[in-house]
Amino acid sequence: MTRYGFHASHEQISPRQLLTDVQHAEQAGFAMAMCSDHFSPWSTRQGHSGYTWSWLGAALATTNLTIGCVSAPGQRYHPAVAAQKIATLSQMFEGRFWVALGSGEASNEHITGDRWPRKDLRDQRLDECVDVIRRLLAGDEVSHDGLVTVDRARLWDLPRTAPKLIAPVVSVESAARVAAWADGLITIVQPEDQLRRIIETYREAGGRGSLSLQVHLSWAQSEQAAEDIAWDQWRSNVIGAPVAWDAETAEAFDAIGEQVTLDAVRAAVQVSSDLGEHRERLDRLAAVGFDDIYLHHVGQEQRAFIDAFGSEVLPGLAGHHDSRA
């Protein structure tokens, strides 16, 4: 049975409004929520980037949803500090918080003034951070000398059950690499054959846990309005690696995004004014093998999307579980 969640986009919406949106999503029947943890948006048109960890406490306290967060330890966040944040939320809201740990993007991490490492070092640094975080969550005192340094760190407040440390991946290669440590996998919408390869590779490498998918979509009352929303808000986000990893400012993303075509945006975003078409597409993605699917309407106004999908799309999805039941 596939569950459907709401993606809370801090990069596009103020934290005050986004708190109202996630509460509304729960009332409309979304079963869970997730967000990213950025210092900067990908576009000046998006124009927001509140501190995710403050918002998470408020969102968990004012809903009954399970909520996850994609975050990058190692540069902006020392892994021991990351572990403390994770443990505190997990203790206050037992069983309702998970975190996906990634290697990061320069647009968020360059603010420290430290050198942005090449990709193989970022992957190695992530592996070290995951090990440190997992050991701290197990109650160990941790010292570590490597790409990150930890001196006799210990967490004094722990949840009864350690939260899941999920791996966010986009490529088949990454799916194989993270299988050794991940408690589950989350990826973004791609061609279905590519998604199947990611799942197969992760499982064949010993990957355990649930499989989650984030779907970018744009819906409005007219096809033109849905397309305009996607073009305005998401053309700076369809830029692939390594540029997306290494660009440092929203202005840089905007400049690169001017070279992006509408076809490229439509390939990355499920654009349609037809709710039935959205429902059919989501059913096909669920059939690939995902346990959880998070819906991200790429517009900045969420109320109409939440109402329409809550009443017209979610109830018609095969295997959908209504959180209000």
Side-chain angles (χ1 to χ4, degrees), residues 1-5 31-32 98 164 166 183-187 195 199 202-203 207-215 282-295 317-321:
M1 181 177 290
T2 303
R3 301 188 307 163
Y4 292 87
M32 57 209 174
W98 56 265
K164 292 180 179 179
I166 306 297
D183 295 323
L185 176 146
I186 186 167
T187 188
L195 292 173
I199 291 172
Y202 178 68
R203 293 301 194 205
R208 62 187 183 274
S210 63
L211 303 169
S212 302
L213 177 69
Q214 183 189 38
V215 177
L282 291 170
D283 270 337
R284 290 200 303 272
L285 290 169
V288 173
F290 290 100
D291 304 292
D292 296 335
I293 296 180
Y294 293 88
L295 308 186
L317 292 169
H320 169 247
H321 170 71

Side-chain angles (χ1 to χ4, degrees), residues 294-324:
Y294 293 88
L295 308 186
H296 174 204
H297 170 53
V298 299
Q300 293 182 295
E301 299 296 328
Q302 296 289 308
R303 174 166 287 276
F305 153 72
I306 291 169
D307 285 339
F309 275 66
S311 62
E312 303 295 330
V313 176
L314 298 186
L317 292 169
H320 169 247
H321 170 71
D322 192 332
S323 65
R324 298 167 298 182

Side-chain angles (χ1 to χ4, degrees), residues 134 165 167 172-185 197-211:
R134 196 178 290 285
L165 304 183
V172 171
E173 294 75 18
S174 293
R177 193 186 65 79
V178 302
W181 62 259
D183 295 323
L185 176 146
R197 286 196 294 272
I198 287 172
I199 291 172
E200 290 167 3
T201 301
Y202 178 68
R203 293 301 194 205
E204 289 170 359
R208 62 187 183 274
S210 63
L211 303 169

Side-chain angles (χ1 to χ4, degrees), residues 50-287:
Y51 185 54
T52 292
W53 296 89
S54 299
W55 181 89
L56 281 165
L60 286 160
T62 58
T63 70
N64 292 307
L65 298 174
T66 297
I67 305 179
C69 171
V70 183
S71 190
Q75 187 157 328
R76 189 169 35 126
Y77 300 133
H78 188 278
V81 175
Q84 186 184 34
K85 294 188 290 188
I86 294 165
T88 296
L89 284 178
S90 300
Q91 194 218 49
M92 289 194 296
F93 308 103
E94 287 277 352
R96 291 179 50 212
F97 177 68
W98 56 265
V99 61
L101 300 174
S103 59
E105 298 176 358
S107 61
N108 305 304
E109 310 305 323
H110 78 90
I111 62 167
T112 66
D114 294 331
R115 178 176 177 270
W116 179 236
R118 63 180 186 267
K119 185 63 167 69
D120 62 316
L121 291 179
R122 299 200 303 273
D123 288 342
Q124 182 181 337
R125 181 172 68 182
L126 173 61
D127 290 343
E128 292 182 19
C129 287
V130 170
D131 180 65
V132 166
I133 291 169
R134 196 178 290 285
R135 289 165 60 196
L136 286 168
L137 291 173
D140 296 345
E141 180 180 281
V142 177
S143 294
H144 178 83
D145 295 289
L147 293 176
V148 293
T149 301
V150 183
D151 179 40
R152 294 168 295 177
R154 174 187 168 191
L155 298 179
W156 291 84
D157 287 288
L158 292 166
R160 289 187 294 270
T161 303
K164 292 180 179 179
L165 304 183
I166 306 297
V169 303
V170 175
S171 69
V172 171
E173 294 75 18
S174 293
R177 193 186 65 79
V178 302
W181 62 259
D183 295 323
L185 176 146
I186 186 167
T187 188
I188 59 172
V189 71
Q190 301 174 62
E192 290 167 31
D193 287 347
Q194 175 75 357
L195 292 173
R196 288 189 182 93
R197 286 196 294 272
I198 287 172
I199 291 172
E200 290 167 3
T201 301
Y202 178 68
R203 293 301 194 205
E204 289 170 359
R208 62 187 183 274
S210 63
L211 303 169
S212 302
L213 177 69
Q214 183 189 38
V215 177
H216 305 302
L217 59 89
S218 182
W219 171 82
Q221 293 289 342
S222 73
E223 194 73 14
Q224 186 62 57
E227 191 172 87
D228 289 346
I229 289 169
W231 174 251
D232 177 70
Q233 284 294 294
W234 217 246
R235 67 180 182 268
S236 297
N237 289 66
V238 302
I239 302 160
V243 176
W245 296 334
D246 296 335
E248 293 188 345
T249 65
E251 290 80 7
F253 276 98
D254 279 337
I256 300 164
E258 292 311 305
Q259 309 305 313
V260 171
T261 66
L262 180 58
D263 285 344
V265 174
R266 292 191 70 108
V269 181
Q270 184 175 306
V271 179
S272 180
S273 60
D274 185 340
L275 293 172
E277 184 176 335
H278 282 291
R279 187 167 52 246
E280 290 170 8
R281 173 66 170 147
L282 291 170
D283 270 337
R284 290 200 303 272
L285 290 169

